């Protein structure tokens, strides 16, 4: 009702507190954000071994962080970039087990297929592409998988 509003009107110092907008600068970054940023910089610079260590530390320390699936994804990408396709596949599959509903899952699933292709495992490659299409319809990953299934 009207009573609380009237109370605020009668006490200007209270109005100041109630109506003051939150100050963005006071918001602390999420714990671990610095470590994630460092690891990503290492990844971008091609320092994959270092990036893997830092991303792994990040995922272990902050498993519920909103960027945990990103960190897992870049562990896989780091191995993939070094031509370590078997290990990359294992890392992408770990992401799918831990974070099946998070944003990186469809692309991680597709990257598992890429790993199989690089390893010359054609049956697994095709089966994984079909899995991507079935599990993640209407995603960019699924569109790519569909195109790849159509090409010889």
């Amino acid at each position: 009702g009207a009573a609380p509003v009237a109370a605020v009107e009668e006490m200007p110092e209270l109005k100041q507190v109630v109506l003051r907008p939150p100050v963005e600068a006071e918001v602390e970054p999420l714990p671990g954000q610095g470590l994630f940023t460092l690891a990503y910089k290492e990844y971008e610079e091609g320092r994959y071994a270092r990036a893997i260590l830092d991303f792994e530390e990040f995922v272990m320390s902050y498993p519920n962080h909103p960027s945990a699936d990103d960190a897992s994804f870049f562990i896989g990408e780091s191995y993939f970039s070094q031509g370590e396709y078997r290990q990359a596949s294992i890392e992408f599959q770990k992401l799918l087990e831990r974070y099946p509903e998070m944003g990186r899952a469809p692309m991680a699933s597709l990257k598992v297929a890429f790993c199989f292709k690089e390893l010359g495992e054609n049956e697994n490659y095709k089966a994984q592409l079909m899995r991507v299409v079935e599990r993640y319809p209407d995603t960019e990953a699924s569109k790519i998988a569909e195109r790849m299934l159509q090409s010889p």
Side-chain angles (χ1 to χ4, degrees), residues 15-134:
K15 189 174 181 179
Q16 212 79 71
V17 174
V18 176
L19 301 179
R20 192 178 61 198
V23 180
E24 287 303 317
E26 287 174 12
V27 177
E28 281 292 305
L30 283 167
Q33 200 58 51
L35 179 58
F36 181 88
T37 303
L38 171 70
Y40 187 73
K41 186 174 188 289
E42 291 164 345
Y43 167 78
E44 283 198 310
E45 291 171 356
R47 293 187 293 141
Y48 299 121
R50 197 63 249 163
I52 288 166
L53 289 173
D54 287 336
F55 280 130
E56 281 177 344
E57 184 186 334
F58 178 85
V59 172
M60 283 191 299
S61 304
Y62 309 99
N64 301 315
H65 192 285
S67 297
D69 64 322
D70 295 322
S72 286
F73 186 81
F74 288 117
I75 293 169
E77 284 286 85
S78 295
Y79 282 113
F80 193 91
S81 297
Q82 296 180 105
E84 296 180 47
Y85 304 116
R86 179 75 60 211
Q87 189 61 41
S89 172
I90 290 167
E91 296 300 333
F92 289 126
Q93 286 172 353
K94 273 191 211 168
L95 184 156
L96 294 170
E97 284 164 28
R98 288 185 193 143
Y99 310 108
E101 302 307 321
M102 287 180 79
R104 290 282 181 180
M107 210 45 93
S109 191
L110 182 63
K111 293 297 286 205
V112 171
F114 291 174
C115 292
F116 286 139
K117 187 175 176 61
E118 293 294 337
L119 291 163
E121 297 178 16
N122 237 17
E123 303 271 310
N124 287 338
Y125 166 67
K126 288 218 159 49
Q128 185 64 27
L129 288 176
M130 289 169 72
R131 225 172 269 136
V132 174
V133 173
E134 286 163 20

Side-chain angles (χ1 to χ4, degrees), residues 2-19:
V5 175
V8 171
E9 293 302 322
E10 289 160 21
M11 300 166 71
E13 64 283 355
L14 186 61
K15 189 174 181 179
Q16 212 79 71
V17 174
V18 176
L19 301 179

